[in-house]
Amino acid sequence: MNESDVAAIVLSEFPGSQIGQVKLESDDGYRKYEVKFANGSIRGEMEINPETGVILERYIKY
């Protein structure tokens, strides 16, 4: 899975969003993509597993 695949996951959850930052991080030996996005009055961040594409966490601000 690459950055464009991760962006597509975010866009499937929040269509029309602007993807701000995508970075691959490692935390205690586990890798995850951290994606920041905005859509109108909504801003958020998602953590996505790079092997499976499963959304690990969502942070949404209205």
Side-chain angles (χ1 to χ4, degrees):
M1 181 165 287
N2 58 34
E3 290 184 10
S4 63
D5 295 331
V6 172
I9 292 169
V10 173
L11 292 174
S12 71
E13 294 283 316
F14 298 96
S17 293
Q18 298 292 321
I19 306 299
Q21 180 180 20
V22 179
K23 58 183 177 175
L24 183 60
E25 294 189 340
S26 186
D27 186 19
D28 291 333
Y30 296 101
R31 294 175 5 158
K32 64 183 178 183
Y33 274 107
E34 190 174 281
V35 185
K36 295 183 180 186
F37 64 93
N39 185 350
S41 61
I42 297 173
R43 291 182 296 131
E45 184 176 307
M46 294 175 91
E47 293 179 359
I48 300 173
N49 182 304
E51 284 94 31
T52 63
V54 171
I55 299 168
L56 303 171
E57 291 190 32
R58 286 185 189 110
Y59 305 100
I60 307 297
K61 295 181 183 181
Y62 292 94

